[in-house]
Amino acid sequence: VALTIRDVARAAGVSTATVSRALRGLENVDPDTRARIVRIAEELRFSISPSASRLASGRAGSIAIVTPFIGGWYFTEVFAGLESGLQPYDVDLLLHATGMPGVTAHPVRAHERIRRRVDGVVVMGMPLEMTESEGLFDLDVPVVLLGVQAPGVPSVCIDDRGGAVDAVEHLVDRGFERIGLISGRPLPTMFVPENDRLDGYLDVLHKHGLPTDEALREPGEFDVRGGELAMDRLLSLRPRPTAVFSMSDEMAYGALRAMNRRGVVPGREVAIIGFDGHDLADTFDLSTVAQPVRELGRVAANLLMERIAGVSASPLGTDSVVLATQLYARRSTGC
Amino acid sequence: VALTIRDVARAAGVSTATVSRALRGLENVDPDTRARIVRIAEELRFSISPSASRLASGRAGSIAIVTPFIGGWYFTEVFAGLESGLQPYDVDLLLHATGMPGVTAHPVRAHERIRRRVDGVVVMGMPLEMTESEGLFDLDVPVVLLGVQAPGVPSVCIDDRGGAVDAVEHLVDRGFERIGLISGRPLPTMFVPENDRLDGYLDVLHKHGLPTDEALREPGEFDVRGGELAMDRLLSLRPRPTAVFSMSDEMAYGALRAMNRRGVVPGREVAIIGFDGHDLADTFDLSTVAQPVRELGRVAANLLMERIAGVSASPLGTDSVVLATQLYARRSTGC
DNA sequence: CTGAAAGCGCTTACAG
DNA sequence: CTGAAAGCGCTTACAG
């Protein structure tokens, strides 16, 4: 039904080998020959069969993003970043959601699902143990970590601890002393960024000799409702915190909501700062430490594609890119 | 490097044809033989080469979702729904973002990008003309429309007009008479759902003999900031609307924000109702008409897979599934 | 710079 | 129920 490379070869009066080389832009093809072949291929509206090409070349022509779950702002931004970073390369982006550990897990491990169909994988926001148990390192293709660091594995992430320090220092700067925390899962957790942010939070409190009661720390499940409930609990404490650092903006929205319900004015009676740089932060006057999530995706794509190319070229170093975060001070911290 | 089906055949003492049939679960294989082959394949940790399989069978083993853009709540929900709907089938999900018409467009048409690599495509929220101009109907594979309807093409969508009627009737029920509208793009637009919602809005106003000045309609670009600006403009009108129907929840958040800034109490002085059923609607006490977006994705996946299978089976009818919306009345409309 | 030929790893009539 | 064999449409040493 569809044309094959042979049809093009015939029409151009050359061999299929030459057509193959010409169309892929390989070096050793006479410029005129190439031009003719390209023209004819276009006239014929020829397009190559990916599966044939992949089978013959041994390349999968795809990469996978492996993530604990699909949904939410962070995921979507990373995904969009990957997509745009992949634009220059002719590869398909496959997606595999593992499910959260402890909660629903995907019936089949990432390894089984994607082996033989990818040239590389970027692992998003997963602890190293999970990456291992999903068999991602046994795939014999390059792996890039996103949002986490690990010795010997290329990665792109932010400085979570530093970001948390910035957030909490800002609260201290504004004169707040009794500083609460809304984390994601109950601490400690297997998720490194959360632990790092906790450490950053504690760093600042210790440095200034401020209270570090565990009662000031509440998990918020990384969603709006969880944040609301966490803030409710914090506001019920006596003495209650005068400021709160939330590990995500979405939880902070919930927290704002809880404050509104109680008539507590954000930034005056109780300050709150989030983390992420979510689109709505500005709208809701939420101070936050923004992270360049799309950029994380873009960089991950590039790191991975470099490595894939590099497998056959010279060995590459183990790149570990750390992207900068940025503090935005708004009304929720009295600015 | 990796095992082939021949290794399995050898180990099991059968032909590759039998292994192929056994592993794919085809009918005519002796149960014992099959069991043995399956066991051996597992022991050997054999996994099939997708590209070889695809080349030999002529199936692409993938479907594509074509969308104007990546990002936002609606996209993510649809995407997650598709993913889950595709779970039972062994197909990869490819994604192609066309870019918005008029704004940045993808350098290559969807047709060129995905031809020969998909067995079918679901087109998300694109007007029919765009679907055509992207060459999606020339792909010779089944197409399912999501969020739009068109004669002769299977589709899954909601009743946008009916949903808008519900929203605006609710405002009327609550006693509001001067009812404004925040649309996405400036009206009229090529996007059908928006026009349908406009029609629903007008239906109700006409039915009750309420004012339909065009001045009451402002575009909000389907994002939070746009909604905020649109509401600003509406609140500056004299007389100003006493209630507003926003075509998306995200724009409604912006509108709420505009009201808060001006000290206008939502649901008392000015009511507002959104559209979508976004996760935050409840948190922000926003009345809304919820649509089952994940379900749209799931149904689209099933419709498409049925059609793909049906190509070789009996002809299928042109299914057009319409999913129900649901009104949630909250404080933003005085409830 | 170009071509003939082998081969990538499956699937599928066809025959039995 | 099973196998031999052709073929899917490319790519890639190898030779020239």
Side-chain angles (χ1 to χ4, degrees), chain A residues 47 116 224 257 280 283, chain B residues 47 115-116 224 257 280 283:
Chain A
S47 71
R116 302 195 81 172
V224 178
R257 173 86 187 103
L280 295 181
T283 301
Chain B
S47 72
R115 70 195 276 213
R116 300 194 84 174
V224 178
R257 173 86 186 105
L280 296 181
T283 302

Side-chain angles (χ1 to χ4, degrees), chain A residues 3 45 47 70-71 76 79 83 87 90-92 95 106 113 115-117 224 257 280 283 285, chain B residues 3 45 47 70-71 76 79 83 87 90-92 95 106 113 115-117 224 257 280 283 285:
Chain A
L3 293 182
R45 313 193 119 274
S47 71
I70 301 176
T76 309
F79 192 74
E83 253 294 319
Q87 215 75 270
D90 182 40
V91 289
D92 295 332
L95 183 150
H106 191 95
R113 174 72 183 119
R115 70 195 277 214
R116 302 195 81 172
R117 46 184 85 204
V224 178
R257 173 86 187 103
L280 295 181
T283 301
D285 285 329
Chain B
L3 293 181
R45 313 193 121 276
S47 72
I70 301 176
T76 310
F79 192 74
E83 253 294 320
Q87 215 73 270
D90 182 40
V91 288
D92 295 332
L95 184 150
H106 192 95
R113 174 73 182 119
R115 70 195 276 213
R116 300 194 84 174
R117 46 183 85 204
V224 178
R257 173 86 186 105
L280 296 181
T283 302
D285 285 328

Side-chain angles (χ1 to χ4, degrees), chain A residues 3 7 75 96 139 150 161 165 176 214 216 246 285 292 306 314:
Chain A
L3 293 182
D7 299 309
F75 165 81
H96 179 88
L139 238 26
R161 187 166 184 160
V165 166
F176 300 103
E214 291 203 17
L216 290 171
S246 166
D285 285 329
E306 269 172 25
S314 57

Side-chain angles (χ1 to χ4, degrees), chain A:
Chain A
V1 132
L3 293 182
T4 76
I5 207 174
R6 298 191 52 159
D7 299 309
V8 180
R10 205 134 38 198
V14 295
S15 71
T16 59
T18 301
V19 174
S20 174
R21 290 190 275 250
L23 259 25
R24 278 180 300 151
L26 298 193
E27 281 308 292
N28 35 9
V29 179
D30 179 273
D32 292 344
T33 311
R34 181 199 305 279
R36 188 158 41 87
I37 293 176
V38 168
R39 183 172 47 70
I40 292 179
E42 277 176 3
E43 282 173 11
L44 262 31
R45 313 193 119 274
F46 166 76
S47 71
I48 211 167
S49 157
S51 42
S53 169
R54 289 164 183 186
L55 176 57
S57 71
R59 288 176 219 111
S62 306
I63 69 161
I65 160 90
V66 176
T67 170
F69 69 104
I70 301 176
W73 177 81
Y74 187 88
F75 165 81
T76 309
E77 290 294 304
V78 166
F79 192 74
L82 272 175
E83 253 294 319
S84 86
L86 252 24
Q87 215 75 270
Y89 309 93
D90 182 40
V91 289
D92 295 332
L93 209 208
L94 267 30
L95 183 150
H96 179 88
T98 63
M100 294 296 277
V103 197
T104 44
H106 191 95
V108 9
R109 290 196 316 161
H111 180 270
E112 274 66 45
R113 174 72 183 119
I114 65 184
R115 70 195 277 214
R116 302 195 81 172
R117 46 184 85 204
V118 299
D119 298 315
V121 13
V122 1
V123 179
M124 168 175 155
M126 270 168 43
L128 203 60
E129 310 92 85
M130 223 177 126
T131 306
E132 275 161 355
S133 67
E134 288 287 337
L136 262 12
F137 292 126
D138 310 325
L139 238 26
D140 285 323
V141 297
V143 171
V144 167
L145 267 25
L146 190 154
V148 204
Q149 262 181 316
V153 190
S155 63
V156 53
C157 61
I158 57 165
D159 178 5
D160 285 284
R161 187 166 184 160
V165 166
D166 291 346
V168 182
E169 279 287 9
H170 174 246
L171 295 174
V172 174
D173 282 352
R174 303 291 307 166
F176 300 103
E177 306 208 317
R178 190 162 186 78
I179 299 176
L181 177 73
I182 300 179
S183 67
R185 283 146 287 238
L187 297 167
T189 145
M190 69 190 306
F191 288 84
V192 180
E194 286 173 67
N195 289 328
D196 286 353
R197 292 177 201 177
L198 171 63
D199 289 341
Y201 162 82
L202 292 173
D203 285 349
V204 177
L205 300 189
H206 288 141
K207 176 176 164 201
H208 296 281
L210 299 174
T212 58
D213 329 7
E214 291 203 17
L216 290 171
R217 319 205 293 248
E218 288 285 354
E221 303 303 328
F222 277 124
D223 60 33
V224 178
R225 171 140 293 280
E228 185 171 355
L229 297 173
M231 190 53 139
D232 266 334
R233 279 175 255 127
L234 291 173
L235 291 177
S236 305
L237 293 176
R238 292 295 173 274
R240 71 184 187 192
T242 54
V244 171
F245 166 44
S246 166
M247 286 192 186
S248 87
D249 285 347
E250 303 193 62
M251 293 191 294
Y253 299 148
L256 284 173
R257 173 86 187 103
M259 296 164 76
N260 284 149
R261 269 197 295 91
R262 293 175 177 241
V264 174
V265 180
R268 291 198 60 70
E269 297 163 61
V270 177
I272 178 151
I273 184 166
F275 200 104
D276 273 349
H278 185 110
D279 328 303
L280 295 181
D282 179 35
T283 301
F284 292 114
D285 285 329
L286 177 69
S287 297
T288 189
V289 172
Q291 53 172 331
V293 187
R294 247 170 224 258
E295 191 60 18
L296 286 172
R298 241 178 253 121
V299 172
N302 287 325
L303 279 182
L304 185 61
M305 294 314 291
E306 269 172 25
R307 304 233 118 217
I308 290 173
V311 162
S312 48
S314 57
L316 294 153
T318 297
D319 310 288
S320 177
V321 178
V322 179
L323 264 29
T325 55
Q326 187 177 1
L327 175 72
Y328 288 90
R330 303 205 175 96
R331 261 222 315 265
S332 74
T333 51
C335 298

Side-chain angles (χ1 to χ4, degrees), chain B residues 21-311:
Chain B
R21 290 189 275 249
L23 259 26
R24 278 179 301 150
L26 298 193
E27 282 308 294
N28 35 10
V29 180
D30 180 273
D32 292 343
T33 312
R34 181 198 304 279
R36 187 158 42 87
I37 292 176
V38 167
R39 182 173 47 69
I40 293 180
E42 275 175 5
E43 281 172 13
L44 264 31
R45 313 193 121 276
F46 166 76
S47 72
I48 212 165
S49 156
S51 42
S53 169
R54 290 165 181 185
L55 176 57
S57 70
R59 288 176 220 109
S62 306
I63 69 161
I65 160 91
V66 177
T67 170
F69 68 105
I70 301 176
W73 177 81
Y74 187 87
F75 165 82
T76 310
E77 290 294 304
V78 166
F79 192 74
L82 272 175
E83 253 294 320
S84 87
L86 252 24
Q87 215 73 270
Y89 309 92
D90 182 40
V91 288
D92 295 332
L93 211 207
L94 268 31
L95 184 150
H96 179 89
T98 62
M100 293 297 277
V103 198
T104 43
H106 192 95
V108 8
R109 290 196 316 160
H111 180 269
E112 275 66 44
R113 174 73 182 119
I114 65 183
R115 70 195 276 213
R116 300 194 84 174
R117 46 183 85 204
V118 299
D119 298 315
V121 12
V122 1
V123 179
M124 170 176 152
M126 271 168 44
L128 203 60
E129 309 91 83
M130 221 177 129
T131 306
E132 275 160 357
S133 67
E134 288 286 337
L136 261 12
F137 291 126
D138 311 325
L139 238 27
D140 284 324
V141 297
V143 172
V144 167
L145 267 26
L146 192 154
V148 204
Q149 262 180 315
V153 189
S155 63
V156 54
C157 60
I158 57 164
D159 177 6
D160 285 284
R161 187 165 185 162
V165 166
D166 291 346
V168 182
E169 279 286 10
H170 174 246
L171 294 175
V172 174
D173 281 352
R174 304 291 306 165
F176 300 103
E177 305 210 318
R178 192 163 183 79
I179 300 175
L181 176 73
I182 301 180
S183 67
R185 284 145 287 237
L187 298 167
T189 145
M190 70 191 305
F191 287 83
V192 180
E194 286 173 67
N195 289 329
D196 286 352
R197 292 177 201 177
L198 171 63
D199 288 340
Y201 162 82
L202 293 174
D203 285 349
V204 178
L205 299 189
H206 287 139
K207 174 176 163 197
H208 296 282
L210 299 174
T212 58
D213 328 8
E214 291 203 18
L216 290 172
R217 294 147 35 194
E218 287 286 352
E221 302 304 328
F222 276 124
D223 60 32
V224 178
R225 170 141 295 280
E228 185 171 355
L229 298 174
M231 190 53 139
D232 266 335
R233 279 175 256 126
L234 291 173
L235 291 177
S236 305
L237 293 177
R238 291 295 173 273
R240 71 185 186 192
T242 53
V244 172
F245 166 43
S246 165
M247 286 192 187
S248 87
D249 285 347
E250 303 192 63
M251 293 192 293
Y253 299 148
L256 284 173
R257 173 86 186 105
M259 295 164 77
N260 285 150
R261 270 199 292 91
R262 294 176 177 238
V264 174
V265 181
R268 290 197 62 69
E269 296 163 62
V270 177
I272 178 151
I273 184 166
F275 200 104
D276 273 349
H278 186 110
D279 328 304
L280 296 181
D282 179 34
T283 302
F284 292 115
D285 285 328
L286 177 68
S287 297
T288 189
V289 171
Q291 54 171 330
V293 187
R294 247 170 224 258
E295 191 60 19
L296 286 172
R298 241 178 254 123
V299 172
N302 287 324
L303 279 182
L304 186 60
M305 294 315 290
E306 269 172 24
R307 304 232 119 216
I308 290 173
V311 163

